[in-house]
Amino acid sequence: MTLRIDISGLPAERLRFAASPLAELTAMLHVLAEPGHHPPLAGWAGDVWAGLRPGLAERLREAEFLWRSSQADFLIPARPRPTLAEELDDVDRIDDETYVTAALVATCGNRVHLAAPSPLTDATARERALDLAQARGARQEAFAERLLADPAAVRARVRHTLEQCAEAFFDAAWAGAAVRLATDLRLKNDLLKRQGIGAALASVSGAVGLAPDGDCIIVDKLLDKATAAHGTGVTFIPSVFGSPHLAVVHAPGWQPVVQYPVAEPSPSEPVSLEAVTLRLEALAHPVRLRLLRTLARGPHTTGELAHAWELSPPEVSRHLAVLRRAGLLTARRHGRYVRHTLNLPDLTALGADLLAAVLR
């Protein structure tokens, strides 16, 4: 399972390494929404939540779908700016159609494919988007309804929320992170200049590499996808708060962007042989591993998993039962939907390498 970025004929200057305040704020917001993905930062997340004003905390929860399971594409800029305000100005310049589509994909899950007709203008497309959001949860449905009813109001509210985050915690965290990011960027740009793209990519992550013919960047990701950087280039953005995730913008119409962690996750605690044996047996089947990698991005129903991997619901149910018996999943009913959730603490116990592969 790989994402391929075609760079054939791309001038060297179109491959850029740069820091982005907005992308790093997005990584911080993901940590706040999913501290279990980031054990070394759990203490930081707890301190931030404890210090947030109730109004801002509620705003973060109502819009968390933009950065919780996956990041909305407009939150990881292809052309990073020096300040958060400048990058938010660039987001404001995105047309409503593009913004709403990216927001709905993040809110409703990766199975959403919002092509013409637009849910902003077509009643059938709108109902489909709302049905998908409803399957994700009540908050997702409410957010999608507000977004489709009044995009301008939601966009302004999201921007104001991000600006409030700057004052509440981002500015202080960015001051420290920026130093580490600058150090990483000096290394990457020096490697790119002196040794070429292959060496620079090798230093990004073990999950990123150059194809033998040099015409394609290969990224180990959840699904088999392909995109091209012709005429636009590729931007690589380092992140202190993003580890162990490797976020990639690759949707049609968007310039390819890779946000990578500047440090690897620390090793996990050893576990009993019995627990390791049981869980590794559960993970031995490739379908179950794929289901886990999907669930790492958030709770899913059996139907959503079946649709994502083109499997029958009974087959998915059998695999989920094995994973639950191994203690790797929990299931909770919400109305007419049963959502399956990854058990991160027990998966973490299998080792940082496995966790990083699943979360990537």
Side-chain angles (χ1 to χ4, degrees), residues 217-290:
I217 297 172
I218 300 175
V219 186
D220 176 31
K221 287 297 291 180
L222 175 64
L223 296 174
D224 289 316
K225 294 285 186 179
T227 187
H230 303 151
T232 59
V234 185
T235 301
F236 288 84
I237 299 175
S239 174
V240 170
F241 284 79
S243 179
H245 300 303
L246 193 65
V248 184
V249 174
H250 60 82
W254 294 87
Q255 177 177 327
V257 184
V258 179
Q259 185 185 33
Y260 63 91
V262 298
E264 294 297 324
S266 58
S268 61
E269 294 291 329
V271 297
S272 70
L273 178 60
E274 181 180 359
V276 170
T277 301
L278 181 63
R279 288 167 186 163
L280 288 181
E281 287 175 352
L283 293 172
H285 198 291
V287 171
R288 291 196 283 271
L289 185 57
R290 290 181 179 182

Side-chain angles (χ1 to χ4, degrees), residues 320-338:
L320 292 176
V322 174
L323 292 168
R324 283 197 303 272
R325 286 195 295 271
L328 297 175
L329 297 182
T330 57
R332 289 188 177 182
R333 177 173 291 279
H334 298 269
R336 60 192 178 100
Y337 298 102
V338 175

Side-chain angles (χ1 to χ4, degrees), residues 98-145:
T98 302
Y99 185 102
V100 168
T101 298
L104 287 176
V105 168
T107 303
C108 301
N110 289 336
R111 60 185 286 235
V112 160
H113 300 288
L114 296 166
S118 165
L120 287 175
T121 57
D122 183 83
T124 301
R126 181 181 183 277
E127 286 305 310
R128 178 174 182 269
L130 292 176
D131 285 344
L132 291 168
Q134 182 187 51
R136 308 297 294 141
R139 281 183 176 268
Q140 287 92 326
E141 182 183 17
F143 181 82
E145 285 180 340

Side-chain angles (χ1 to χ4, degrees), residues 19-26 28 77 80-85 87 170 174:
S20 163
L22 178 56
E24 194 67 358
L25 172 55
T26 302
M28 293 180 193
R81 308 291 187 183
T83 68
L84 178 63
E87 293 187 325
F170 172 74
W174 174 251

Side-chain angles (χ1 to χ4, degrees), residues 35 84 167 210 344-345 356:
L84 178 63
E167 179 181 349
L210 190 64
L344 278 169

